[in-house]
Amino acid sequence: MASLSRRGRNNEYTWPGYVDALSSLLMVVIFVLAIFVVAQFYLSEALGTRDQALDRLNRQMAELASLLQLEQRTSSDLRATIAALSAELQKSTAERDRLQGQVSQLGAERDSLAGQVSDLGAERDALAGQVTQLGAERGKALAELTEQQRLSAEAKATIDRLAANIAALQAELARLNEALEASEAKAKEQNAQIVDLSNKLNRALVSKVEELARYRSEFFGRLREILGNRSDIVIVGDRFVFQSEVLFASGSAELEPQGLIQIANVADVLKEIGEKIPSGIDWILQVDGHTDTRPIRTAQFRSNWELSSARAIAVVEFLHSRGIPYERLAARGFAEFQPLESGSDQASLAKNRRIELKITTR
């Protein structure tokens, strides 16, 4: 009985094991739900951020599309402007050629008229001499008749003939004077036409020079952008100046690797700008070599003349190898006789050692 009583009390206070299992399972479910809620929260945040980013990207794409349309309209306007300028330039070139032909023709006519005027003047002078001579003869004949107090038929006929000759010569002289005045008036008119044509031709030439200056400015601007603001590469007036140390070693006319890079940049820009210059503008790139006052005498170069010329030619040859035609290039050497600085210090000497580039006409 005592044993049964103890078992009854023990069964009354025993915690069932499945209750613990259910509690653990409930905690796991709650934990999983909590993680799910947190994940949903962060997921909604990420989706919201993504939507905002998509909205920004859509706005940026709209702005870029607008800019692209504006750039396309601008490019179309530029192409139309370039086409109009090219047509106007061709028209101006044709007009210039026509005016030059007229100037040549009028000059030839003026020279011919000048020769005719000279011939007519000589003929007039000869006739005037004949009139004077005939007048003298007539006076002499009248004096003889007066002195002898007889008037023979032969003498009278001679006098009448001389009078008729004098009248004919005077008429011819008057005709020649009229022709001379007409020729002089025509010569003055043609001179006025020549002056007018010369003015038109000068205006056309000025227009070509101004257009070339615009392309030269564009060339220098693009070249400055590519080469950067370097103290040893500067623009002086209408020339682009490279210090010799940028391109060549001392006493050498062979382009250094760094110099090849710089001149290659020049060639690329020149090809790009040269394609835009109309065919009616006969332009060249002038390459000038300069040295300092210190003389050179080596087995290769006997004077600064040879060194400066060889350096200019080396630049021209490399530009040609990069696609620039020889007919668009010119090389000149000036030795030490065109300095930028008059001093003899190292800084002045360095500035005077240079290669200059200039776009000009023939």
Side-chain angles (χ1 to χ4, degrees):
M1 289 294 293
S3 176
L4 289 172
S5 178
R6 285 194 298 273
R7 282 199 301 272
R9 288 195 295 270
N10 290 336
N11 290 332
E12 186 178 357
Y13 294 97
T14 300
W15 183 266
Y18 69 88
V19 174
D20 292 335
L22 288 175
S23 299
S24 299
L25 180 60
L26 182 60
M27 291 177 66
V28 169
V29 170
I30 291 171
F31 178 72
V32 170
L33 287 174
I35 292 175
F36 178 75
V37 170
V38 171
Q40 285 292 105
F41 173 75
Y42 283 109
L43 182 59
S44 63
E45 287 291 328
L47 290 174
T49 304
R50 187 193 63 180
D51 291 338
Q52 293 176 358
L54 287 174
D55 291 339
R56 286 196 303 272
L57 287 174
N58 287 331
R59 287 194 299 271
Q60 292 177 357
M61 289 180 64
E63 292 175 357
L64 288 175
S66 176
L67 290 174
L68 180 58
Q69 292 177 356
L70 179 60
E71 181 64 24
Q72 288 175 346
R73 288 196 297 271
T74 303
S75 298
S76 178
D77 293 341
L78 287 175
R79 285 193 293 270
T81 302
I82 290 173
L85 287 174
S86 297
E88 183 65 23
L89 179 60
Q90 291 176 356
K91 182 178 178 182
S92 298
T93 302
E95 181 66 16
R96 182 199 63 185
D97 295 339
R98 185 181 67 80
L99 291 175
Q100 284 179 338
Q102 291 183 3
V103 167
S104 300
Q105 182 179 359
L106 289 173
E109 291 181 3
R110 181 190 61 187
D111 295 338
S112 176
L113 286 173
Q116 292 178 11
V117 168
S118 178
D119 294 340
L120 289 174
E123 188 175 351
R124 181 191 62 183
D125 294 339
L127 288 174
Q130 291 179 14
V131 167
T132 302
Q133 182 180 359
L134 290 173
E137 291 180 1
R138 179 186 179 189
K140 182 179 179 181
L142 289 174
E144 290 177 355
L145 288 174
T146 301
E147 181 181 358
Q148 296 176 4
Q149 295 182 354
R150 62 184 180 86
L151 184 62
S152 65
E154 182 180 356
K156 185 178 180 181
T158 301
I159 291 172
D160 292 338
R161 179 176 57 80
L162 290 174
N165 288 338
I166 291 173
L169 290 174
Q170 287 176 341
E172 181 67 17
L173 183 61
R175 186 186 66 79
L176 291 175
N177 283 329
E178 291 177 358
L180 181 60
E181 292 175 356
S183 298
E184 290 176 347
K186 188 174 181 180
K188 289 181 180 179
E189 180 182 356
Q190 289 185 343
N191 282 332
Q193 292 179 358
I194 291 173
V195 170
D196 182 59
L197 290 175
S198 297
N199 291 333
K200 290 181 180 179
L201 182 60
N202 289 333
R203 286 195 295 270
L205 292 176
V206 168
S207 175
K208 300 295 184 186
V209 171
E210 290 176 351
E211 188 170 5
L212 180 61
R214 178 167 63 85
Y215 288 109
R216 179 168 55 208
S217 177
E218 182 180 355
F219 170 72
F220 283 167
R222 293 293 305 280
L223 205 56
R224 185 190 290 276
E225 290 178 3
I226 292 175
L227 299 178
N229 295 323
R230 298 181 50 163
S231 60
D232 50 5
I233 303 176
V234 297
I235 293 178
V236 178
D238 59 352
R239 297 162 293 159
F240 213 94
V241 180
F242 290 81
Q243 298 306 128
S244 292
E245 287 73 9
V246 178
L247 307 177
F248 303 100
S250 178
S252 172
E254 183 177 354
L255 284 166
E256 294 289 296
Q258 180 63 28
L260 293 174
I261 295 174
Q262 303 298 342
I263 301 302
N265 291 330
V266 173
D268 294 339
V269 174
L270 186 60
K271 284 194 294 185
E272 179 181 351
I273 301 300
E275 292 175 354
K276 299 179 182 179
I277 300 177
S279 58
I281 299 178
D282 195 9
W283 64 273
I284 59 170
L285 179 69
Q286 186 173 292
V287 182
D288 296 338
H290 300 265
T291 66
D292 57 27
T293 56
R294 295 178 299 180
I296 185 173
R297 181 175 292 275
T298 64
Q300 186 177 8
F301 305 112
R302 294 177 297 176
S303 67
N304 285 338
W305 285 106
E306 294 186 4
L307 177 60
S308 62
S309 300
R311 285 179 171 179
I313 293 172
V315 174
V316 164
E317 292 290 349
F318 183 72
L319 287 172
H320 176 69
S321 71
R322 298 286 296 186
I324 308 301
Y326 276 131
E327 59 267 21
R328 297 298 183 191
L329 298 169
R332 304 190 304 176
F334 290 92
E336 69 270 21
F337 299 106
Q338 298 290 334
L340 292 178
E341 299 288 340
S342 59
S344 58
D345 55 285
Q346 292 300 321
S348 298
L349 294 176
K351 287 184 178 180
N352 291 333
R353 297 189 300 270
R354 66 197 188 277
I355 291 291
E356 295 182 355
L357 305 179
K358 177 181 178 181
I359 290 184
T360 184
T361 55
R362 294 183 186 276

